[in-house]
Amino acid sequence: MWRGLWTLVARAARGPRSPRSCTRQGSGAPAPGSGATIFALSSGQGRCGIAVIRTSGPASGHALRSLTAPRDLPPARSACLRLLSHPRSGEPLDRALVLWFPGPQSFTGEDCVEFHVHGGPAVVSGVLQALGSVPGLRPAEAGEFTRRAFAHGKLSLTEVEGLADLIHAETEAQRRQALRQLDGELGHLCHGWAKTLTKALAHVEAYIDFGEDDNLEEGVLEQADSQVRELELALSAHLRDARRGQRLRSGAHVVVAGPPNAGKSSLVNLLSRKPVSIVSPEPGTTRDVLEIPVDLAGFPALLSDTAGLREGVGPVEQEGVRRARERLEQADLILAVLDASDLASPSSCNFLDTVVAPAGAGSPNESSRRLLLVLNKSDLLPPGGPDPSPNLPPHLLLSCLTGEGLDDLLEALRKELAEVCGDPSTGPPLLTRARHQHHLQGCLDALGHYRQTKDLALAAEALRLARGHLGRITGGGSTEEILDIIFRDFCVGK
């Protein structure tokens, strides 16, 4: 319904306008200063108590006067109750709160208006069609409000990405990381690095121009070399984060594995809080990989339920076992599940030898697989009895039936996922996108060329190239294609 409504509004807006005013440029979003004023429903679609419709552009004030005539513009950034009427027919549409944001003190840097109307479809439809009938207004495209904010210097490109991540955040960790990026932490870090490069470049070029001048202070090149070495160390530290920021944004891959009938599917259902997997006492019930995105202790994760690992089964189940082993190789974190009442069985011993022991033997670095050993079905153990597995690696006792031990498991998952994804509450800002890593690596490579070359002109050019990579992270020198990819993730009205 809303898509059809938007098509009608777009046609109404195009009707009375001249061909020139309908022309779009390049990617489809108008260039800043093109004179177009845009409007859109900014709140979520569907019935709601209050819907927010906003405009941005030079005709925003005229649009507000047209819908609230004969009233004047309200005081800037103050909510006023006004009767909205269709500018052509004069028919009342709604009684709404309106806010006037004259540029440049607005989200986009342009004149903006917000209409806080009642959220019924008829009211929203009427107001949108009324705006479409105002000369000079047209419906906004996806992400166009934010793109105008970027074009007018209200947001850097990293802040734009932080805003997109905040809109799509589903977990506490994602929200914290998005807010830090929206607040400009990554951008400020890159600006600081760029400032260091600018200073080093100034020293090199000063030596090129005035190297034989006695007034040039000693050690100019040594200062530039020292600054470059410090920057190389900082960039290398960020590039060693092993995609933690990207995992935090898209979700860590957590694989639940174990022998048949250990309770893997029960654990997946418990963690996802819904019956994702079929649970049966018959071994081999799960024969394929079942995946579901979940919130694990505040971190995003893709949880995979896999076939029980065993040998000598039919071809269908054997294919499931092969896929399970494949997922184990791809996992960021393995939840290894064993039956606490059946640890001496051949399947349990084989799983301990082939999966648990190799993971525990690895050195604690980013390349080693992280593993949590969970002994399920603790409710079958005799109460108050000794530990059923004193010789096992560190493990957690859990009963998927009663939920006992779940809090300890969630706390252990929180600690492991903080290592896998990075803790957004502490430490330096994370790199949340592949393009961040690409440009940081390009900057580091350019600094390597700087150190290797003996020609000062080539050394200065290497510093300029390194500085250009840092500028592209925050939006300097970005191409239209890159901007299109970033802004298309926004909804219409943002």
Side-chain angles (χ1 to χ4, degrees):
M1 180 192 72
W2 290 103
R3 185 177 300 173
L5 167 61
W6 198 245
T7 302
L8 292 174
V9 171
R11 289 176 181 170
R14 287 195 297 266
R17 294 171 58 182
S18 65
R20 181 178 179 182
S21 65
C22 292
T23 300
R24 298 191 300 175
Q25 303 181 10
S27 64
S34 64
T37 297
I38 56 176
F39 67 93
L41 173 66
S42 292
S43 54
Q45 297 181 352
R47 289 180 175 84
C48 55
I50 299 295
V52 179
I53 298 170
R54 64 176 173 176
T55 72
S56 179
S60 291
H62 172 61
L64 178 55
R65 289 191 187 96
S66 298
L67 268 67
T68 60
R71 305 291 292 276
D72 293 330
L73 291 176
R77 291 171 294 281
S78 296
C80 294
L81 184 65
R82 295 288 172 88
L83 176 66
L84 304 184
S85 303
H86 197 285
R88 292 183 179 175
S89 66
E91 179 185 1
L93 301 173
D94 190 22
R95 191 172 295 277
L97 286 178
V98 298
L99 292 98
W100 163 240
F101 300 95
Q105 295 179 325
S106 68
F107 172 70
T108 63
E110 303 174 324
D111 289 348
C112 293
V113 169
E114 287 187 3
F115 300 90
H116 294 219
V117 303
H118 293 95
V123 174
V124 174
S125 170
V127 175
L128 289 175
Q129 292 189 38
L131 287 171
S133 70
V134 177
L137 269 69
R138 65 165 176 82
E141 298 181 6
E144 192 168 358
F145 285 90
T146 305
R147 187 160 190 164
R148 291 190 176 201
F150 168 71
H152 288 95
K154 291 293 183 177
L155 296 172
S156 70
L157 202 53
T158 51
E159 290 168 344
V160 167
E161 291 169 329
L163 178 58
D165 290 345
L166 184 62
I167 292 172
H168 296 290
E170 296 181 349
T171 69
E172 287 296 309
Q174 288 176 319
R175 177 184 59 79
R176 293 191 187 104
Q177 166 60 25
L179 276 174
R180 290 186 66 183
Q181 189 160 325
L182 178 58
D183 286 342
E185 289 193 25
L186 180 58
H188 294 155
L189 183 64
C190 291
H191 283 307
W193 289 337
K195 189 175 180 180
T196 299
L197 282 178
T198 300
K199 188 175 182 180
L201 179 59
H203 287 162
V204 173
E205 291 187 335
Y207 191 88
I208 293 174
D209 293 337
F210 309 107
E212 297 179 359
D213 193 334
D214 293 337
N215 293 326
L216 190 66
E217 65 179 87
E218 295 183 1
V220 169
L221 288 182
E222 287 75 8
Q223 290 182 41
D225 291 342
S226 175
Q227 291 164 349
V228 168
R229 280 195 298 271
E230 291 178 3
L231 183 55
E232 281 184 302
L233 293 174
L235 294 177
S236 298
H238 270 74
L239 286 170
R240 282 197 304 268
D241 73 355
R243 295 177 51 251
R244 290 193 302 170
Q246 293 181 56
R247 291 194 195 104
L248 179 59
R249 181 170 172 262
S250 58
H253 191 186
V254 179
V255 175
V256 181
N261 264 16
K264 301 181 298 298
S265 297
S266 297
L267 179 56
V268 168
N269 292 344
L270 184 64
L271 292 176
S272 60
R273 303 182 186 90
K274 54 185 173 181
V276 176
S277 302
I278 298 174
V279 176
S280 168
E282 178 183 346
T285 302
T286 302
R287 298 190 175 191
D288 204 348
V289 179
L290 301 177
E291 295 182 329
I292 180 172
V294 295
D295 178 344
L296 288 183
F299 287 87
L302 181 65
L303 193 62
S304 297
D305 187 12
T306 60
L309 302 181
R310 62 174 175 173
E311 304 296 335
V313 293
V316 175
E317 188 175 347
Q318 194 60 46
E319 173 62 18
V321 171
R322 186 195 68 79
R323 295 186 183 188
R325 296 190 185 280
E326 186 178 70
R327 285 297 195 280
L328 284 174
E329 295 299 321
Q330 302 168 355
D332 296 315
L333 173 64
I334 299 172
L335 276 179
V337 185
L338 289 174
D339 184 343
S341 64
D342 193 29
L343 295 175
S345 67
S347 59
S348 295
C349 293
N350 182 63
F351 181 75
L352 286 169
D353 293 337
T354 59
V355 176
V356 177
S363 59
N365 54 45
E366 289 291 346
S367 61
S368 63
R369 291 187 296 174
R370 308 190 75 90
L371 182 144
L372 278 177
L373 180 57
V374 180
L375 303 187
N376 187 30
K377 304 185 182 181
S378 62
D379 53 287
L380 298 180
L381 299 176
D387 188 336
S389 49
N391 299 322
L392 286 182
H395 55 272
L396 297 162
L397 284 175
L398 173 71
S399 171
C400 289
L401 181 64
T402 66
E404 185 178 358
L406 179 60
D407 290 342
D408 292 339
L409 175 59
L410 290 176
E411 178 60 21
L413 282 169
R414 186 193 64 77
K415 293 179 180 178
E416 291 291 334
L417 290 173
E419 292 294 327
V420 170
C421 301
D423 189 346
S425 302
T426 60
L430 298 171
L431 308 177
T432 56
R433 281 169 166 78
R435 75 173 196 91
H436 299 165
Q437 285 189 298
H438 168 75
H439 287 302
L440 281 192
Q441 187 61 57
C443 180
L444 190 60
D445 293 342
L447 295 181
H449 293 315
Y450 165 84
R451 284 190 295 101
Q452 294 170 5
T453 186
K454 302 299 182 182
D455 187 300
L456 287 180
L458 293 178
E461 182 60 30
L463 291 180
R464 278 190 286 269
L465 180 61
R467 191 174 60 169
H469 277 291
L470 291 178
R472 290 185 182 93
I473 293 178
T474 56
S478 298
T479 64
E480 283 294 310
E481 290 79 9
I482 294 174
L483 294 179
D484 287 344
I485 291 172
I486 291 173
F487 286 100
R488 74 186 180 193
D489 288 337
F490 285 89
C491 58
V492 172
K494 190 59 183 174

